Amino acid sequence: MNPQFKKGILELCVLVIVKQKDQYGYELAQNLTEKIAIAEGSLYPLLRRLTKEEYLSTYMAKSTEGPPRKYYRVTEAGERYMNNLIEDWQSFQTNVSQLIKEAME
């Protein structure tokens, strides 16, 4: 997949996945890479930014496999932002699909 496509939609994907279930960084990276190949180096700066912008909050939880883990949770503001991104994505996707369809006729 084109790297620019991934970069543009990664924020929405992170919010959608974390909305389904609070996740720690490595878990989130694994869940994302099942659908979209990403570099972990691009995920953590995004998580820091979304936390700073108060779209995500964090908390520490014990782990059975080592030190406590930092979990990410979508905030109310993050849910509103995510819903706006979903609307934007759906409109964008519809318009691009229409352009492609017209070009292929």
Side-chain angles (χ1 to χ4, degrees), residues 81-94:
Y81 181 59
M82 178 190 71
N83 288 333
N84 288 335
L85 288 175
I86 289 170
E87 288 177 20
D88 290 347
W89 170 254
Q90 290 172 334
S91 175
F92 179 77
Q93 181 183 15
T94 298

Side-chain angles (χ1 to χ4, degrees), residues 2-21:
N2 183 307
Q4 292 296 0
F5 291 167
K6 288 189 280 189
K7 184 178 180 183
I9 200 64
L10 186 58
E11 187 173 71
L12 174 57
C13 293
V14 165
L15 290 168
V16 167
I17 290 173
V18 175
K19 176 64 182 152
Q20 293 173 16
K21 175 181 156 291

Side-chain angles (χ1 to χ4, degrees), residues 2 15 26 32 35-37 48-49 52 54-55 57-58 66-67 73 78 83-84 96 102:
N2 183 307
L15 290 168
Y26 182 75
L32 271 170
K35 307 285 184 194
I36 302 170
R48 280 191 296 277
R49 184 174 59 76
K52 183 179 178 185
E54 300 183 352
Y55 296 137
S57 62
T58 63
R73 171 185 296 149
N83 288 333
N84 288 335
V96 170
E102 289 169 4

Side-chain angles (χ1 to χ4, degrees), residues 36-95:
I36 302 170
I38 62 156
E40 280 187 46
S42 61
L43 176 61
Y44 289 99
L46 175 60
L47 290 172
R48 280 191 296 277
R49 184 174 59 76
L50 290 172
T51 301
K52 183 179 178 185
E53 293 173 351
E54 300 183 352
Y55 296 137
L56 295 176
S57 62
T58 63
Y59 62 93
M60 299 299 285
K62 290 183 181 179
S63 169
T64 58
E65 302 172 3
R69 293 178 173 153
K70 181 192 286 188
Y71 280 80
Y72 295 88
R73 171 185 296 149
V74 176
T75 64
E76 286 183 30
E79 191 167 346
R80 287 190 300 273
Y81 181 59
M82 178 190 71
N83 288 333
N84 288 335
L85 288 175
I86 289 170
E87 288 177 20
D88 290 347
W89 170 254
Q90 290 172 334
S91 175
F92 179 77
Q93 181 183 15
T94 298
N95 291 334

